[in-house]
Amino acid sequence: MKNITRAFVFARGGSKGIPKKNLQKIGNIHLVGHSINIAKKLKTIEKIYVSTDCPEIARVSKEYGAEIINRPKELAEDKTPEILAWKHSISYSLERDGFFNRFISIPPTAPLRNIEDIKNCLNALGENIDIVFTISKSKRNPWFNMVNKDKFGLISLLNKELSINRRQDVPNSFDVTTVAYSAKPEYILKNNSLWNGNVYGVEVPENRAIDIDTPFDLNVANLLFNADLKND
């Protein structure tokens, strides 16, 4: 069966860390624009949608060439599970544009990704894989140097199962990134947790996996983006 791939960019208007975060710019391109632009580079992607509750994000996204899914306010709250927005958008796409069998989410907060990251995420979605996350090596390892702090200020190891004294001996650990997520649409529609099926991880280097959540992250992303341009 031929693969039909549709890309989704989830960009709600509310953001506490950075006001209007998804409309901030890296290299004079809006964050939401970076996601749309990289999706447009992949010929295998049939349609590109932006799911948003914000009229300004909708207007800007249209200028970059995306179709808009108007997200209900109740699916755009701080505490709303992301999977509910995914379900809403997949249902919209199926009803409006018919069948597709590969979903990919390209969040605006990871603008330093490259096209190979997207391809690798999609290609990993095989017959026995329900969903693919992008991951990068953890900066801190829960088996070695992460601690709890009690009300008296005393700290203890977060994970006491292993007694490890050298970083070289700790098990590998990874952070889930916001570079991309691919999945089978029916898997998302049938589940209330992303972890219910066979979950695969595609590793992305740290320099391309930065997730913009604070003004500091935004500054770092700008520096890295500009440095890459100078090296080209």
Side-chain angles (χ1 to χ4, degrees):
M1 180 173 57
K2 179 183 176 182
N3 285 322
I4 301 174
T5 307
R6 294 178 187 163
F8 297 79
V9 182
F10 295 91
R12 65 190 186 93
S15 175
K16 292 181 178 179
I18 304 175
K20 296 185 177 180
K21 177 171 65 176
N22 292 313
L23 293 175
Q24 296 297 317
K25 293 183 177 181
I26 299 289
N28 208 34
I29 299 173
H30 298 88
L31 290 180
V32 69
H34 278 283
S35 293
I36 297 167
N37 286 346
I38 202 164
K40 288 163 70 174
K41 292 180 180 179
L42 265 178
K43 294 181 180 179
T44 55
I45 291 179
E46 178 195 70
K47 287 184 177 292
I48 305 167
Y49 305 92
V50 170
S51 166
T52 186
D53 62 319
C54 174
E56 188 176 1
I57 291 176
R59 177 184 60 78
V60 169
S61 299
K62 284 181 181 179
E63 292 174 358
Y64 283 100
E67 299 182 34
I68 304 304
I69 298 175
N70 293 311
R71 195 191 312 187
K73 291 291 183 183
E74 63 269 21
L75 298 183
E77 303 293 336
D78 287 341
K79 296 182 179 180
T80 304
E82 179 92 342
I83 194 172
L84 297 183
W86 289 15
K87 287 174 182 285
H88 174 262
S89 291
I90 289 170
S91 296
Y92 173 94
S93 180
L94 288 169
E95 182 176 343
R96 184 180 183 277
D97 297 313
F99 172 82
F100 71 106
N101 60 356
R102 291 202 306 181
F103 160 100
I104 185 158
S105 169
I106 308 176
T109 53
L112 302 184
R113 63 171 73 82
N114 67 20
I115 193 70
E116 293 304 318
D117 298 326
I118 304 297
K119 289 180 179 178
N120 291 339
C121 188
L122 278 171
N123 290 340
L125 192 63
E127 182 178 350
N128 297 318
I129 302 299
D130 297 303
I131 187 168
V132 180
F133 289 6
T134 49
I135 58 176
S136 62
K137 289 182 180 177
S138 300
K139 295 178 183 178
R140 296 286 184 270
N141 194 301
W143 299 97
F144 180 69
N145 56 6
M146 296 182 71
V147 298
N148 281 315
K149 180 181 177 182
D150 68 18
K151 62 182 179 180
F152 303 108
L154 299 176
I155 64 173
S156 59
L157 288 172
L158 183 66
N159 195 323
K160 299 177 182 179
E161 292 184 30
L162 292 179
S163 178
I164 298 176
N165 297 311
R166 298 193 318 153
R167 184 187 299 273
Q168 297 92 327
D169 297 332
V170 299
N172 287 329
S173 67
F174 296 87
D175 296 326
V176 174
T177 79
T178 59
V179 169
Y181 307 83
S182 65
K184 296 172 182 174
E186 67 271 18
Y187 173 76
I188 298 299
L189 292 175
K190 291 178 180 178
N191 288 282
N192 292 319
S193 170
L194 299 179
W195 298 94
N196 284 346
N198 293 325
V199 183
Y200 190 87
V202 167
E203 192 170 348
V204 175
E206 182 182 357
N207 63 305
R208 297 203 304 268
I210 185 169
D211 179 27
I212 297 175
D213 192 45
T214 67
F216 176 79
D217 299 330
L218 187 64
N219 289 334
V220 170
N222 260 306
L223 288 170
L224 291 173
F225 183 84
N226 290 327
D228 279 350
L229 287 181
K230 291 175 183 177
N231 291 331
D232 287 344

